[in-house]
Each structure stands twice: as structure tokens, then as C-alpha cells.
């Protein structure tokens, strides 16, 4: 069989198998799969370089379905490649199957979870960056995109950065099938719309008929021959191609076909072509950055005043010296987050993401696909811009380290737009996340080191203002632990970061009044140290005061209550101080006082808590 | 004085005043203000049509500083317009001043809070849309943008939608001063980079020297004369223009000048030009949509099985019939969220936002600036894409109604990328928010009606699956209330949405075993009904079981514990059922069971809770 003929047959097989898969539970997106079948048939048979027997081979190409809902097509490709049996294909969307409605890395050949649109290409940029600048291997990144998702701004962050970094190892394929979920897209079949945008961003753009397999093949060849810029192939396709009942008809998005057997017949029936996928280019080995090997964390003397954000920057630099696999990305604020220290010391392992937080997080996710250890930083408030990427990163089982600086009202005059007051809530609600909030520089350094190899999404909140060093440089801070910084049995005060220091000041005042407060540093907000918290609650007759530079919901107060509730009996009385009114500008001290979370207000709340008898309101 | 001469003088005044303002607390962004001073001088003096004495005049133009950090410039403009005194200008960034570090609507002439970059233009699109399609008034929307923030994908969602809606009443001005916070932007002074992108998106683009006041004036005139497409003025400028020490020098972002007096002298000293701003075009009155006036909510019979997402759609349509100020926007999923019913009934008041959730929320914020009542919908999981916009909307004191469908594992086969499992946490942590989670169709309809006029950010979570109607059509559901759906004194079970129904099923089984469960419907997650919860905890000997189709953090469990803690004494034992493992695909019933939140698991947990004596682990 000639190449073209084989590709057409394979395309039909992929259509047939997509329909068969969706028929299993009568759900899924077969028509979205059918439009891209020819594009993927040619890719799989003639251009993708991948060893399905060795998913973790660093030389492998990477294929991402940014239009993740076309999962039937992806899984049908795996079957054609011999990686998945027909039997397994027919478990699509069934409970317990790894062939889920949208692809996840439960499947070894899937790098990143998609399904939330507009994300696959940003992840692809991260992987391509790894390929070009870190691994320095010739693998290619192929991203299948939908036309509907081109409306997502994150796609254009990807376009911008891919061109800026000259990622000619990245090829985007846009399946322009004209129909979104609800109706026609903004641009229909106007391929120029997409191509002109791409060219304005500095990409090479090729417009083709997505069902002309020879044109598809030529486009892939041209993309691979293009240097200095990434290529987008803008392919005109028909949603539901091959089955008259659904081809180019609205109303069929996300629906299994009513008459799958009839459709399969119309497509020429079931086939069993097995593709011998081209092996990866194994001519080179992944680059390894030289390092000192020994981790020498920075240390500070007790009593010094040091901002934890500065400690983050210095610790990250030290980590970078010891670990060649550590890389950093930041969002145009590295002189504020202090990621600039790493950037200056290791310019080959630092990538400026500019003001594009979605791409910032997506790049980190892409880099860790290739086992690099990414630390991504920006203001904690701005990680909210990338929350959907963080949410999806958990489904991707990604190992990413995030540092958000400028936490809380204590940043001062910049005002609320720059203040993170919901970041603890946001990050606690991420599956499998770790949430750290150090109070001093030595603790920060130790936690930064611990972040490097911790699985999952690890978030550290750092403070703008300088705060006293209260821990020795030799102290250890296990994640999931808490520190009793001050002993006392009259009440428990739980703080972290800036409020830990305010709590200690309050405790001093209270001691003068004969009230001995047990002050706990909850540097590990998640997982929280339930044992220490429960022991403290018990020892202090159930009187617990929590204080956070954060809204009342979802942060330290909630974390403490949750930990206390897990022990069975709850303590009698928990008072929660937090920021309850929208702050404005002002000096840090003014803002902390206005929010009722400074030493004076903590002491006041403590007096009330101790004064009232247990069992009273 | 000739126009050009006056504009140059006014530009210098704005520079001088920006420096003076930043000098007050020695903080702020004077150099970012100085680059745009000439652009704003010409705008204020010759093109802006605004009555500073009547901030709420519907005919007013709208001026948004997307580069919100240039607030010194904005406030200096207000002083030049006579709206703010010199004395007040010099309270910039001081505690208690309404002239905060970044603009907020504490100030009457500020529509939306900015400071998180890449947001002002999307908001401007919403206001321009109101002007063109709803108010049908000729006011113009002017948005001053930074070049650095053009890296934000949200800006390009704005570019896309503005052109798609042919918003020729919108003018964006990009202050291309080359320098970001940390260093040079990706494009430096290459004006073509921005202009070519804009043109590819369908905008008219004008490149100018941003310090040539006559060119600026001509550009504004040309923008206003351009029909059918929005205009972007790409202006080459110098950061810190006018003061040699800082002009075009890196390292001066966000820093007050070291030598303000010297700089002021260099700029020619303090001036006191007062601008007589052109009055708005009052030739027409805002359009008013005809309505029936009477609200006739849809009703269902008890026992019917109806999805709350469907009830949302029908209730919204009913609201639209009664209220001409209600408008709706959706993100390409209106046939899933059922916003399509409103769209079909009131096409003039529905705007498709396609797959661009940032612009979806920004549009809602923009529309409510002009007092329209926007309901924005998409899958609840995808609101996480717009979290920074939601966060900033609270600072904007915006009144927006959000409906997120497809909550939890109960959506079934689509899998985790489509499941909202953190939305309650996310939305609880928004300042002043209301979080609603109805369990049946009649309740949904009542709550949709209540959402319309409730202040702030109101979020409703809706369910994909059909669930039984358990409330009569005449029942009322005050926000902040909770419903005891089933009486009992052995334990309290708190659920909402889908888990309310599972809890009722569990209660049935338990009753057969002699265990009487009090089942509470927490349809108002925030504010939560502490009285009802505490009364229940007390009546059931402190045995409380919470169940949610959501991660454990930040949702119903946390809300219940928070409410219980506010009463003083906490109950003895709270058990929290939630989704703790990453779900896959499957039938809703399979996924609910796997997550341990179905009737069977609720009953099991209830038995343990009741079986164990109070005070035991």
C-alpha cells in the first residue's frame, strides 16, 4: 500500500475506533476525534518518533492533545501503535479504566492531563524549552489544538513565548473544524485568521486541507525543516468527517453517535492496521549541568532582620549550585521574589516568563515532564491567575515548586491588588498539595531545600517585610510538623509567617500580665501537624487562637480546625483572627493593626479567650 | 497658549505631580507615570468627555488604567480636572487615603480596580459592549495599557472579543516605554510587534511618538473617526521621561525618585493648570429593554427529577423576562449550563464569550459598571481560569452573578478535568462573596432570583445530574439560611447539592436501624447559618457529619466548622466526608461511592459516629 493510501486507511481506522470507544458508555467526543483523524494518522505513521515500549525514554518525541476531549482519537492511536489492546480501548470512560474521558498521566504515554482547554500548547512550550535549552536533545513536541480553544488567552501566551524562545522543535496543529460546543467558532473556516495571528507572533504558518493526507505529510516535513521559529499547521477539517449524519453538523459535540454500527459501515468497517512508529533519535544524550554537589544553604544569625522572600532567593541559588536539575522561572518580578539571584548565577537554567502567569506555571509543568525540578515564582496574589493550570497540574501528577511572595496586608502601600489574601485557601484546595509558610530566614532555607524533591504541587508563601531570625541555622523543620516556639498552658496561639512574630510579641505582653501563651509556628499549613495542635489544645484547656494575614476562609484557621477535628473531640473554644475588611494602602504596621492581626489585637483576643470561662460564649 | 503648548505644560504638570505624590511615602511608580503623561494630558484636555461632578452620569466616557501602577498619573489627572485637591493628592498611599497604591472604586471616577496587570482592557471590553449593545450610548472607553502587560493572554482575549463585537467605541493606548519591572520587555521599542498583532486580530493600529502631543491628538481623533473596529494607539515613550537621572534607565520601576525636588525643577517646577474637561455627549438616553415586569419563576412538582443546572437556565430566562437590566454571558457551554435558554429568548442581552473565561468574568465586571445585572456561567471548574479576575472584582466592589455547573465527581464520565472540586474553597475565599449550592430545582429558581440584586460576588454551584424536587414551589430560602430537611436527634448530617440527596437516602436507611439523623441542607455555604448548625450540634450531642462533592479543604466541612466555632464552644465530634482521592471516569453513582460520599458511606460514617461514645476517638 502506498503511504497515502495507508494513511487514509489508518485515518478511517482511527475514526472507527473513536466511534467504537464512545459507544461503550455512550459518551465522549467522537466527532471532535474524527476531524483530526487524518492529521494524526500521518503523524503517527510517518513523523512521530516515539518508543511506546519505553515511555520514559528521554529521546522520545512528545505528543499533547491540547484538545483533550479528542481522547478517543488519542487512545485509538495508542491501539494502532500496539500500546493498548482493542479490549482496553473498549474500556473507554468506564470506572477503573485508565482510558479516562480526558487524558491523564495514568497512561504512561501521556505527559500532562488536558481537558481544560487552552492548556496543552502552554505545556508543550515548557517541554520544548526543556528540549532546546536543558536536555539539548532533538526531540520534537507536537500539540494537537482545537480551533475553539484558540480563544483562550493562554494559547497566545504560548505563541508569544514559543517564538521568543525560538522553539523550532515545537509544532502546533490546529484542527479547524469550525464547530465549537455550542455553535460555530468566531472564525469558522477562515484559516487566515489563525495563520495571520500566528505570523504576527513570529511563527511559521502553513494552511492545509486537514483531510489531504499528502498535504498533511508535506506540512509536517516543512515544520521540521523550519529553523528559528515554531510552526503552526492550520488545517481545515470537518467535524465528524466520514459519517454523513454528523459531518459538519452542529449539535454533535460531545455526543456518542446514535448509530455507531451504521457509521462504522459507512467508514468502511473495522480495521486492524498496526503502525510501526519511528524510533526516537537517540544520537545524543541529555545534557547534564555541572554542579558543586554539596548543598550549602545560606544561614543567618538569630536576631538579624531578614525577609523570607530574600531567604528564598538565596536558598534557591544555593540549591542551584548543588543541583544541576533545578531550574527556575519567574513572572517579571524576580527582583521582588529574589529569583533573580538564581537567574544571575545560573542563566542557562533560568527562564523569564514575563507577565504571563499561566505560561509561568505551564512551563514549570512542562519542564518537570522531562524530570527537571522547576521553581516558579511570582507574587502569591498572581498565582491566582494560573489557578486552572495549578488545578490541572494536580491531575497531571506534576511535581512543581511554587513560591508566592508579598503575602498579606503586610506588604504595605501597594494595596490590595498586590496582596495575597486567598492563596492559602487556593493552594490548600489543590489535590495532594503542600503549603508552607515560613516565619524566618533559616526556616525558609531549610524548607526550600525540602521542596526540591517533594512530590506534587508544593507552594511556599513568602513575606515582603524583613522579620527577625528566631531559629538557629542547624534546626530542622519537617514538612507536616509545627514548632512550639514558646511554651505556655493558658492558651494556644497559632500563627505563621508575619503573624508568628506578632504572636510572639503578644505573648511577651501577656506574660507580663501573668498569662502564659503557647505559641505555635504553623510553618506547614498543609499537611498540618495535628498531633502538636491537639496536644496544645488539650494542654491549654481548649483555648485556641489562630491568627493569619489572610482572609478568614480556607487558610490557617480552617487548617487548624480541620486538624483539631480529626482527633475526635474538638477543643472548647477557637477564636480566629484574620483579615476581614478590604485593606487599602498604608504602612505594614498600620495595616496589620487595622486588620486586627497585630500583637496588640492578638493580646486583646487572648485576654478575652482566657478571661471567659470554658463553656461560656 | 496654543493647544500643543498647553498639552506639553500639562504633561509636565502631571509628571511633577506624580513625583510629588510618590515622594509622600517614598513609594509608588512615578517613572511608569511619567512615560504616559503626554498621552494622558492630551486625552484629558482634548478628548475625554467626562463630568467629574457627576461620576454616575451614564453618558460619561470611561477611562481605565490597565497599567494600574501608574496611579500617580491618574490621581494627578484628577487634580488637574479639579476633582481632587492638591492636599488630597499628597495623601497618596497613606493609610486611610482613597488614593491607594493602585486605583479602586473607593474613588468615584474609578470604574474598576486594577493593579493586577492585563485586566483593564478586558474590563474595558465589557464596558464598551454595554455602550454599544445595551446602553446604546456614544460614550467612549479609553484604556491606558503598559507594554509589559501585553504578555498577558487576557489582553489578547480582549483584543479578540473587541474586534469580534466591532467595538469601535473602545480605544486602547499602549505606553511602550520598553522597560518592565525587572528589565526590558520582550519587544522593547519595536512598535510594529504590537501593531501587527493588533491588526491580525482585526484592530486598527496607529503607531506614534508618545511624546509628540500633536501626533497624540491626531491619533485620538483618528481613533474616534474609525468605525467597525476598535483602535489601538501604540505609543513609543520613555519611562521616567523628563528627568535625566531616571529617563529610560533600568532599575527605577516602582521606586520613588531619590531627588524629587531636583527632578521637579528639571521639569520646570510645579504648575497649577486646571483642565475644563469636555462634557459628555448627552444627546441620547440609555436604552431600556421592555419587560413583562412580573417575575414568574418556573416551578416543579415534588418528586420530579430535575437538574439544578436546568433550573438555573429556566429561572434565568424567567428573570430576563421580568428584568430588562439582566444580561447573560457564557463561555461556549451554554447548552450545558442552560444559559442558552436566556440566549434564545433575549439575544440582545446575551453575549457569547467563547472559550475565554478571563474575558467572561471581565465582561461581567464591565457590564455592571454601567449597572447592568450580569449572570456569567461556565463549568464551575473553569471559573478557576478567571480566579485573579474574581479576586480583583472584589476589590472593584463589583456586583456579578456567577453560575458554575458540573460540580464534583457526580458529573461522571468526563473525568476530573471537568469536575469542580475546589470551587467552594475558591469562592469562599473571595472577600464579601456569597456562595450558594442548591439541591433542588425550586430552590435553585428562588436563589437565582435572590442573586440578581445581592451585592458583591455571588456564586452558585449547579449539578449536572437530575435530582429529586424536594421543596414546594412556594418555599423561601433566605441567603444565609439553612434548611433542616429531616428532623432527628441522634446526629446531624450536613450536605448540599448532590450530597443532600445522598444524606436523605442515608437517613432513611439509618431510620430503619433506629438512628434518627437530622439532615441539614446547607444551600447557603457562605454566609452559613451558624444558628441552625449550632442548634443542631447541640441537639445531637455534638455529633456532626458533613458531606461534600468537593475536596476536603475550604468547602462545606470548613464552613461548618467555622460556623460552629463562632458560637463559642465547639461540638465534641465532627466527621467530614469529602473527595480525598483523584477521581477518574465512571458513572456518577460509581464515582460517588468511590469517593465515599454516597448514601452507603454516609450511613456507615453515621453509624460510627453514633456508636462511638462522646469523648472517644
Amino acid at each position: 500500500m502506498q503511504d497515502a493510501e495507508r494513511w487514509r486507511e489508518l485515518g478511517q481506522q482511527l475514526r472507527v475506533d473513536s466511534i467504537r470507544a464512545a459507544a461503550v458508555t455512550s459518551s465522549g467526543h467522537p466527532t471532535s476525534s474524527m476531524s483530526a483523524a487524518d492529521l494524526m494518522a500521518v503523524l503517527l505513521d510517518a513523523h512521530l518518533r516515539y518508543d511506546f515500549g519505553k515511555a520514559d525514554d528521554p529521546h522520545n518525541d512528545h505528543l499533547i492533545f491540547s484538545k483533550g476531549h479528542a481522547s478517543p482519537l488519542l487512545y485509538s492511536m495508542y491501539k494502532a501503535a500496539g500500546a493498548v489492546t482493542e479490549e482496553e480501548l473498549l474500556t473507554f470512560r468506564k470506572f477503573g479504566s485508565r482510558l479516562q474521558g480526558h487524558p491523564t498521566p495514568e497512561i504512561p504515554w501521556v505527559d500532562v492531563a488536558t481537558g481544560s482547554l487552552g492548556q496543552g500548547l502552554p505545556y508543550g512550550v515548557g517541554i520544548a524549552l526543556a528540549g532546546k535549552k536543558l536536555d539539548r536533545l532533538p526531540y520534537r513536541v507536537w500539540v494537537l489544538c482545537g480551533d475553539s480553544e484558540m480563544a483562550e488567552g493562554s494559547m497566545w501566551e504560548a505563541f508569544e513565548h514559543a517564538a521568543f524562545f525560538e522553539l523550532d522543535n515545537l509544532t502546533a496543529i490546529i484542527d479547524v473544524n469550525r464547530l465549537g460546543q455550542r455553535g460555530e467558532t468566531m472564525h469558522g473556516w477562515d484559516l487566515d485568521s489563525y495563520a495571520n495571528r500566528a505570523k504576527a507572533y513570529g511563527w511559521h504558518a502553513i494552511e492545509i486541507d486537514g483531510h489531504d493526507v499528502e498535504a498533511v505529510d508535506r506540512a509536517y516535513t516543512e515544520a521540521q525543516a523550519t529553523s528559528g521559529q515554531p510552526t503552526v499547521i492550520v488545517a481545515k477539517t470537518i467535524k465528524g468527517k466520514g459519517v454523513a449524519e454528523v459531518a459538519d453538523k452542529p449539535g454533535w459535540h460531545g455526543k456518542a453517535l446514535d448509530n455507531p454500527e451504521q457509521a462504522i459501515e459507512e467508514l468502511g468497517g473495522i480495521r486492524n492496521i498496526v503502525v510501526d512508529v519511528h524510533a526516537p533519535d537517540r544520537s545524543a544524550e541529555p545534557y547534564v549541568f555541572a554542579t558543586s554537589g554539596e548543598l550549602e544553604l545560606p544561614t543567618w544569625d538569630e536576631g538579624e532582620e531578614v525577609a523570607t522572600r530574600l531567604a528564598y532567593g538565596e536558598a534557591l541559588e544555593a540549591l542551584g549550585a548543588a543541583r544541576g536539575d533545578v531550574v527556575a522561572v519567574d513572572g517579571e518580578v524576580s527582583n521582588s521574589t529574589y529569583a533573580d539571584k538564581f537567574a544571575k548565577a545560573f542563566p542557562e537554567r533560568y527562564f523569564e516568563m514575563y507577565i504571563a502567569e499561566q505560561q509561568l506555571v505551564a512551563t514549570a509543568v512542562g519542564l518537570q515532564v522531562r524530570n527537571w525540578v522547576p521553581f516558579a515564582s511570582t507574587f502569591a496574589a498572581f498565582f491566582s491567575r494560573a489557578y486552572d493550570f495549578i488545578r490541572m497540574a494536580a491531575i497531571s501528577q506534576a511535581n512543581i515548586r511554587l513560591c508566592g511572595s508579598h503575602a498579606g496586608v503586610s506588604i504595605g502601600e501597594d494595596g490590595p491588588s498586590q496582596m495575597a489574601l486567598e492563596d492559602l485557601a487556593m493552594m490548600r484546595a489543590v489535590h495532594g498539595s503542600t503549603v508552607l509558610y515560613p516565619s524566618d530566614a533559616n526556616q525558609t532555607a531549610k524548607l526550600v531545600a525540602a521542596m526540591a524533591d517533594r512530590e506534587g504541587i508544593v507552594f511556599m508563601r513568602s513575606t515582603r517585610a524583613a522579620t527577625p531570625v528566631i531559629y538557629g541555622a542547624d534546626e530542622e523543620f519537617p514538612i507536616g510538623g509545627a514548632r512550639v516556639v514558646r511554651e505556655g498552658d493558658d492558651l494556644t496561639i497559632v500563627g505563621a509567617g508575619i503573624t508568628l512574630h506578632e504572636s510572639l510579641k503578644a505573648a511577651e505582653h501577656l506574660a507580663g500580665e501573668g498569662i502564659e501563651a503557647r505559641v505555635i509556628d504553623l510553618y506547614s499549613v498543609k499537611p498540618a501537624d495535628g498531633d502538636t495542635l491537639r496536644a496544645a489544645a488539650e494542654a491549654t484547656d481548649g483555648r485556641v487562637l489562630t491568627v493569619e494575614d489572610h482572609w478568614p476562609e480556607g487558610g490557617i484557621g480552617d487548617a487548624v480546625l480541620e486538624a483539631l477535628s480529626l482527633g475526635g473531640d474538638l477543643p472548647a473554644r477557637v477564636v480566629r483572627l484574620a483579615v476581614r475588611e478590604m485593606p487599602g494602602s498604608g504602612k505594614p504596621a498600620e495595616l496589620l493593626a487595622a486588620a486586627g492581626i497585630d500583637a496588640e489585637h492578638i493580646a486583646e483576643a487572648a485576654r478575652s479567650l482566657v478571661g471567659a470561662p470554658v463553656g461560656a460564649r
Side-chain angles (χ1 to χ4, degrees), chain A:
Chain A
M1 204 191 287
Q2 294 285 2
D3 281 342
E5 185 56 29
R6 182 170 74 255
W7 294 333
R8 281 182 213 109
E9 275 295 293
L10 178 57
Q12 293 295 79
Q13 173 175 319
L14 296 175
R15 290 185 173 92
V16 165
D17 284 348
S18 295
I19 290 169
R20 295 169 73 202
V24 173
T25 60
S26 215
S27 77
H29 303 71
T31 57
S32 306
S33 302
M34 292 156 76
S35 54
D38 299 311
L39 292 163
M40 291 298 100
V42 178
L43 181 69
L44 186 68
D45 189 72
H47 295 272
L48 186 72
R49 302 191 67 168
Y50 196 92
D51 183 347
F52 277 92
K54 201 164 177 284
D56 60 1
D57 189 325
H59 306 93
N60 277 340
D61 276 0
H62 295 266
L63 170 61
I64 297 173
F65 265 45
S66 193
K67 55 176 293 184
H69 51 287
S71 54
L73 173 60
L74 181 64
Y75 304 153
S76 298
M77 289 169 75
Y78 293 157
K79 170 185 164 268
V84 149
T85 63
E86 179 179 66
E87 187 186 0
E88 184 173 16
L89 178 68
L90 299 180
T91 67
F92 177 59
R93 290 181 159 237
K94 290 183 82 165
F95 181 74
S97 170
R98 60 181 181 171
L99 302 188
Q100 296 185 21
H102 296 77
T104 79
E106 285 288 301
I107 298 163
W109 321 290
V110 171
D111 293 318
V112 288
T114 50
S116 183
L117 294 168
Q119 299 205 0
L121 189 63
Y123 294 135
V125 167
I127 301 174
L129 201 56
K132 191 156 280 295
K133 310 275 189 177
L134 299 173
D135 292 322
R136 303 175 190 184
L137 289 175
Y139 58 75
R140 301 195 64 80
V141 183
W142 308 89
V143 185
L144 178 66
C145 310
D147 50 352
S148 233
E149 65 171 333
M150 299 311 294
E152 283 287 7
S154 53
M155 291 302 257
W156 300 97
E157 289 179 26
F159 267 80
E160 182 77 67
H161 284 78
F164 184 74
F165 287 114
E166 297 177 355
L167 301 178
D168 49 24
N169 56 345
L170 174 66
T171 302
I173 306 132
I174 309 179
D175 177 11
V176 186
N177 65 23
R178 187 180 81 80
L179 295 171
Q181 164 167 328
R182 162 219 54 84
E184 197 180 54
T185 62
M186 282 186 273
H187 301 293
W189 271 324
D190 182 6
L191 306 190
D192 283 351
S193 282
Y194 301 106
N196 290 342
R197 279 163 178 71
K199 286 179 201 164
Y201 277 78
W203 282 51
H204 179 55
I206 309 169
E207 296 182 30
I208 57 166
D209 171 352
H211 299 301
D212 176 344
V213 294
E214 285 161 318
V216 173
D217 176 56
R218 285 193 302 272
Y220 288 149
T221 299
E222 186 180 329
Q224 289 170 98
T226 302
S227 355
Q229 49 178 176
T231 297
V232 60
I233 297 166
V234 186
K236 178 176 175 179
T237 60
I238 291 170
K239 194 161 183 170
K241 161 89 171 164
V243 176
E245 185 187 8
V246 300
D248 195 43
K249 303 269 197 315
W252 279 101
H253 179 90
K255 290 207 181 91
L257 270 55
D258 285 342
N259 305 298
E261 297 80 18
Q262 194 177 303
I264 290 166
E265 209 185 299
E266 191 177 339
L267 287 163
I270 291 175
R271 285 114 166 127
N272 282 297
I273 300 167
V274 178
V275 177
D276 188 15
V277 179
H278 291 294
D281 175 348
R282 290 187 169 107
S283 57
E285 284 318 297
Y287 184 78
V288 174
F289 288 91
T291 61
S292 64
E294 282 288 319
L295 175 58
E296 286 178 41
L297 286 172
T299 61
W300 293 269
D301 296 326
E302 290 184 51
E304 274 192 78
E305 298 253 341
V306 183
T308 57
R309 59 171 171 139
L310 176 61
Y312 168 80
E314 298 200 2
L316 184 63
E317 185 185 357
L319 196 60
R323 293 273 298 263
D325 57 347
V326 167
V327 299
V329 287
D330 188 275
E332 186 57 29
V333 288
S334 60
N335 55 336
S336 294
T337 58
Y338 289 108
D340 61 351
K341 295 176 179 294
F342 185 101
K344 283 194 188 82
F346 313 106
E348 292 185 309
R349 284 186 275 142
Y350 173 82
F351 304 105
E352 183 55 58
M353 288 291 118
Y354 299 93
I355 301 181
E357 294 77 22
Q358 296 182 102
Q359 185 59 63
L360 173 74
V361 172
T363 297
V365 175
L367 294 173
Q368 63 86 48
V369 165
R370 281 293 310 126
N371 298 319
W372 296 94
V373 179
F375 280 76
S377 52
T378 183
F379 282 32
F382 304 145
F383 272 118
S384 66
R385 198 63 157 267
Y387 195 38
D388 195 22
F389 281 79
I390 296 171
R391 177 184 79 89
M392 289 296 294
I395 304 173
S396 287
Q397 300 171 43
N399 299 318
I400 55 174
R401 296 72 264 277
L402 309 178
C403 183
S405 66
H406 291 68
V409 303
S410 63
I411 72 168
E413 288 87 350
D414 262 358
S417 65
Q418 318 289 302
M419 296 170 175
L421 292 164
E422 60 289 299
D423 55 317
L424 296 178
M426 188 175 99
M427 296 308 304
R428 274 183 71 239
V430 173
H431 183 66
S433 65
T434 299
V435 180
L436 306 171
Y437 188 11
S439 59
D440 95 340
N442 285 325
Q443 187 184 56
T444 301
K446 288 286 168 69
L447 290 174
V448 167
M451 283 169 85
D453 295 310
R454 186 161 173 91
E455 284 197 356
I457 297 163
V458 186
F459 174 74
M460 171 180 282
R461 188 187 216 225
S462 73
T463 301
R464 174 177 184 251
T467 47
V469 174
I470 60 170
Y471 295 117
D474 293 335
E475 307 238 37
E476 296 298 330
F477 304 93
I479 293 176
R483 268 303 185 96
V484 178
V485 185
R486 188 185 190 284
E487 290 289 351
D489 287 336
D490 290 328
L491 84 153
T492 298
I493 304 177
V494 185
I498 197 117
T499 60
L500 187 270
H501 297 282
E502 294 299 310
S503 298
L504 286 172
K505 283 186 232 166
E508 288 264 333
H509 296 149
L510 294 166
E513 298 162 33
I515 298 173
E516 295 297 331
R518 178 179 302 206
V519 179
I520 295 179
D521 178 2
L522 199 72
Y523 65 87
S524 181
V525 180
K526 179 188 180 190
D529 186 346
D531 290 339
T532 299
L533 290 169
R534 287 187 290 270
E538 203 173 305
T540 59
D541 230 0
R543 294 188 180 92
V544 178
L545 178 61
T546 68
V547 203
E548 58 196 297
D549 196 354
H550 187 272
W551 299 127
E553 298 88 3
I556 291 173
D558 278 358
V560 168
L561 275 176
E562 175 185 47
L564 294 175
S565 77
L566 292 172
D569 291 339
L570 278 159
R573 176 177 296 257
V574 178
V575 171
R576 302 152 51 121
L577 300 183
V579 182
R580 293 177 186 276
E581 298 307 319
M582 181 62 74
S585 288
K587 296 191 180 64
E590 293 171 319
L591 295 171
L592 286 168
I597 56 172
D598 64 344
E600 195 176 306
H601 288 89
I602 294 170
E604 193 179 305
R607 281 181 213 108
S608 290
L609 189 52
V610 170
V614 171
R617 195 165 264 274

